[in-house]
Amino acid sequence: MKSRPLWLCLLALLPAVAVAEGGSGVLVRVGSHDGYGRVTFALPPRTDYRLTQQDRHVVIQFGGDLRIGAANAIPHNVVGIAGGAGQATLDLAPGTTLHDWRYGDLLVIDVLDPAAHVAADSPRTTVAARPEGARPAAAKSDAAKPAPANPEPAKPETAKPDVAKPDTARQNGSASAAPPAADKPASGDPAAPKQEPSPSPAAGANNAAPMSAASPSPLPDAASSAPPAASSTAEAEQALQSDSETDGELDIRADPQLGLAVFRLNNAALIVLDQPRTIDTARWRDDTVFGSAVVRTLPAATVIRVPLDPGTALAASRGQHGWRVAAVAQEPALRPIQADVADDRLLLQAATPGAVVSVIDPDSGATLLVGTQRNAGQGVPVQRRTPEFTLLRSWQGVALEPDGDSLVLRPTAQGFIVSGVSALSPATEIGDQLARSIGLTREFDFPSQPTEALLHRLQRQVLEAAATPVLARGPHRESLARSMMALGLGAEAGSVLRVAATDDPHLAASPTTQALASIAALLAHRPEEASGLANPALPQADDIVFWRAVRLAELQPGSAEAAALFAATAPLSLAYPPEVRDRLLPLVAETLVAGGETAPAAALLAARPRDASLDLARAMLAEAQGDTAAALAGYDRLARSRDQSVHARAAARAVELRLASGANNVRQAAD
């Protein structure tokens, strides 16, 4: 077992340091806009609500033990807002109309001005909203709700830039509104993503869907977006602005033809637009992520360089009015851009390719060939090297660093073609396995950073948790526990989660928190304490299945059921941080072989050819494939290992194999 510094083992205890008592409730944000006011509630996941309106008095009741905080202001057409335990109340101005809708964990209440709506035939009394993602019981209940019209407000004299708003066709109840023609993938493109409808206010709580990389539909900022005012299209296309009021998000107003590429270079990220634009960076000045961004306008492109921490990634999404780039703590789920070689050309299969531009690496001065895309959701998950170029890992589009002057990158209907390639190195097994892991769903993610960066992150999280009021420490402690687990500190992470559950009964009753504590127990070699993974209330995510298989394999070594579960989810083990990966890989590989899943085991072992911790699994695989000589050679070598567990298992398997093959008789085997 690896020794750990004592101070690192004690970090779990620091969040329990007493601080001044205080409380925090559900965040309430408001905004006043042309034609309507907006009130937004940032709710915990899967929170129900029920809205009741009598005349101009509105009561919103929330499920669970919530406290609604105070609003930061009052919209122009709302008389008063009050929070409290489990509910909030609104008093509306005369003649206004209320419209509620959900996007993810946001509940949005739009109050339309008298001039911005058409009065409904009958007054609205009570509407019961379902939790996020719930399906309506019958179509009749949705059809009975009046669909609020939202015509354009009066045009002011001064033109203003467009701001994103929900699609008008969807507001009028059309479920089959087509996306803009420019966003449609090229005909016959097998890699083209399926377009999904975007959430809109008229969609209501029943039809709201979370944004995904495969179907980008960015939500306008809950307290800042408004219906579009009169604007000049030419002016909107000439000026590129950041209208995001959310820290760590960058909104780029653009026409559907603007392509985007996003990738990392050392300690910075490059956001490349395939058109020259003038960008005003004044509004980014106070942003913690984009405040240090540097914009460079080229004759055929615009490059935004953003200093980026190792543990931060960028996720790009496409909306009707432009792009949104957000800083996220976990790598975004992307569909990999596949590479195929034909003659001297390399085809990078990508949907909706944009233009190819040449930019300069600000650090090395090297020339980069960058292929942009007009839709989000695809990237290059693993860096690839050839004698002629390096294909960089990307979050959007492709970025290629050539080592010569003869390379050409150009767009086609199927993606991008690299001409002048003599041979592309074959995809590595680990690259294929990591590409497979991208398509697997996850409920839990752990920060994947170098150890030094993780230690700094851990120290910061300890201080943040200690400085937070006791009743609000739960989320901070969960984040701290994930960082500890990424460092392999399963027992310490479990201690933090137990303290968090003791102080916060909501966390104690949460199935996801119980499952996270169970994962910590598995990393600490305590499978008997991991019963929280068996909770049927947990989502049916692939990583939940994977961790259930880990528990079963530890409780029942060589379980065929665990092997079958690993066969579908084993690539996840390679995508975890190194300490977690190294803890899990031997168990996964040995269980796959013992359970008869030899093909997935061979693929996993091929992905880690120099990993000595997998040598016992390699010997077991050789035995399963009938190669007795190779298996015995492996067992005999491992029988001299200083690891007592490996020594005992290898020696026992060698004796059993010699007895089964007839090399030894019963007496010799007993001796």
Side-chain angles (χ1 to χ4, degrees):
M1 179 180 297
K2 298 181 180 178
S3 62
R4 303 187 181 96
L6 179 60
W7 68 269
L8 188 57
C9 298
L10 295 176
L11 284 176
L13 302 178
L14 291 182
V17 176
V19 297
E21 290 292 336
S24 63
V26 171
L27 179 65
V28 183
R29 294 182 61 194
V30 306
S32 293
H33 311 291
D34 293 336
Y36 71 102
R38 174 165 289 179
V39 182
T40 304
F41 300 87
L43 302 175
R46 303 178 183 86
T47 300
D48 299 336
Y49 77 94
R50 183 181 184 87
L51 186 148
T52 305
Q53 180 177 0
Q54 293 293 341
D55 296 329
R56 290 185 285 128
H57 184 70
V58 179
V59 178
I60 310 165
Q61 296 175 311
F62 299 93
D65 187 11
L66 298 181
R67 178 174 179 80
I68 310 303
N72 60 331
I74 297 179
H76 67 278
N77 55 6
V78 176
V79 177
I81 302 177
Q87 72 174 27
T89 59
L90 307 179
D91 290 311
L92 310 182
T96 55
T97 296
L98 188 79
H99 178 54
D100 63 287
W101 55 290
R102 291 192 67 155
Y103 186 85
D105 297 331
L106 295 178
L107 168 61
V108 183
I109 308 294
D110 285 335
V111 183
L112 306 181
D113 288 346
H117 70 275
V118 178
D121 293 336
S122 58
R124 173 177 179 165
T125 54
T126 302
V127 176
R130 285 172 289 275
E132 174 190 68
R135 303 299 299 175
K140 181 179 179 181
S141 61
D142 283 343
K145 293 166 57 178
N150 192 13
E152 300 289 337
K155 296 183 179 180
E157 295 180 0
T158 304
K160 299 179 181 178
D162 286 347
V163 289
K165 72 167 187 175
D167 189 274
T168 304
R170 296 189 184 99
Q171 277 196 336
N172 292 333
S174 172
S176 59
D183 283 342
K184 294 182 179 179
S187 176
D189 188 352
K194 180 180 178 181
Q195 296 289 344
E196 298 289 341
S198 301
S200 66
N206 302 333
N207 296 329
M211 179 170 58
S212 67
S215 56
S217 303
L219 171 72
D221 184 80
S224 63
S225 63
S231 64
S232 166
T233 304
E235 179 183 349
E237 292 180 352
Q238 290 172 1
L240 200 62
Q241 304 177 13
S242 170
D243 290 316
S244 175
E245 296 180 2
T246 303
D247 199 37
E249 290 187 356
L250 181 66
D251 282 346
I252 301 174
R253 302 301 186 205
D255 60 85
Q257 298 302 315
L258 179 70
L260 183 83
V262 187
F263 55 94
R264 184 191 291 276
L265 278 177
N266 300 320
N267 295 322
L270 291 191
I271 303 172
V272 180
L273 314 175
D274 60 10
Q275 297 177 16
R277 297 298 181 97
T278 301
I279 300 180
D280 179 13
T281 61
R283 301 191 66 172
W284 308 348
R285 191 172 299 130
D286 298 328
D287 193 290
T288 57
V289 177
F290 298 102
S292 302
V294 177
V295 179
R296 186 181 180 195
T297 303
L298 305 176
T302 305
V303 181
I304 306 173
R305 184 181 185 274
V306 184
L308 206 62
D309 293 336
T312 303
L314 296 183
S317 56
R318 192 70 161 94
Q320 182 180 1
H321 295 277
W323 287 94
R324 169 169 290 185
V325 181
V328 295
Q330 304 293 336
E331 292 292 328
L334 301 172
R335 289 173 291 108
I337 294 177
Q338 302 289 352
D340 290 331
V341 179
D343 300 327
D344 64 341
R345 299 188 306 169
L346 170 69
L347 173 63
L348 303 173
Q349 298 181 5
T352 60
V356 173
V357 296
S358 298
V359 302
I360 301 296
D361 183 340
D363 298 323
S364 67
T367 299
L368 303 176
L369 303 179
V370 179
T372 65
Q373 288 179 277
R374 297 189 180 121
N375 274 347
Q378 280 192 290
V380 178
V382 181
Q383 180 173 289
R384 305 278 290 278
R385 292 183 181 275
T386 76
E388 292 90 356
F389 67 89
T390 299
L391 182 62
L392 302 178
R393 182 180 178 183
S394 70
W395 295 305
Q396 169 76 26
V398 300
L400 185 148
E401 182 177 353
D403 291 334
D405 300 328
S406 60
L407 223 61
V408 177
L409 179 69
R410 59 185 177 86
T412 68
Q414 291 77 35
F416 301 94
I417 284 183
V418 184
S419 301
V421 182
S422 60
L424 179 68
S425 59
T428 63
E429 293 289 344
I430 187 143
D432 290 342
Q433 292 288 308
L434 287 173
R436 278 190 59 202
S437 73
I438 292 175
L440 299 175
T441 58
R442 307 186 197 188
E443 179 68 17
F444 300 106
D445 281 307
F446 304 100
S448 183
Q449 299 174 268
T451 301
E452 183 178 355
L454 275 175
L455 290 175
H456 285 300
R457 176 191 181 102
L458 198 65
Q459 289 176 305
R460 186 181 71 251
Q461 289 174 327
V462 166
L463 296 176
E464 290 175 353
T468 304
V470 175
L471 298 181
R473 287 183 187 173
H476 294 279
R477 284 169 166 164
E478 281 200 349
S479 298
L480 175 63
R482 292 182 192 231
S483 297
M484 288 181 165
M485 293 159 72
L487 287 165
L489 304 176
E492 294 80 357
S495 298
V496 170
L497 292 171
R498 281 193 293 273
V499 172
T502 301
D503 290 345
D504 190 338
H506 297 290
L507 289 181
S510 169
T512 55
T513 302
Q514 294 171 6
L516 188 63
S518 297
I519 294 174
L522 291 174
L523 293 176
H525 304 275
R526 300 171 181 170
E528 66 281 353
E529 298 178 12
S531 57
L533 287 166
N535 193 332
L538 288 171
Q540 296 300 313
D542 291 319
D543 65 338
I544 296 292
V545 174
F546 173 82
W547 287 106
R548 285 171 176 165
V550 171
R551 177 173 182 260
L552 183 59
E554 290 198 345
L555 292 174
Q556 303 175 21
S559 165
E561 180 182 354
L565 297 177
F566 279 145
T569 59
L572 281 173
S573 59
L574 292 169
Y576 283 130
E579 291 286 349
V580 179
R581 178 197 64 206
D582 295 344
R583 160 72 180 82
L584 296 174
L585 276 178
L587 175 69
V588 173
E590 292 166 20
T591 303
L592 283 170
V593 177
E597 300 287 350
T598 56
L604 194 65
L605 294 173
R608 305 278 296 177
R610 290 181 293 276
D611 191 338
S613 69
L614 301 178
D615 285 349
L616 180 58
R618 291 190 181 91
M620 293 171 60
L621 181 62
E623 178 183 355
Q625 293 174 339
D627 191 347
T628 302
L632 286 174
Y635 290 146
D636 291 342
R637 180 172 55 82
L638 292 172
R640 299 187 293 272
S641 171
R642 294 183 179 180
D643 187 315
Q644 294 184 2
S645 173
V646 172
H647 157 78
R649 288 183 292 157
R653 295 189 72 91
V655 170
E656 292 173 355
L657 180 57
R658 284 189 169 92
L659 179 61
S661 63
N664 284 348
N665 56 35
V666 176
R667 181 182 295 276
Q668 291 172 320
D671 292 340

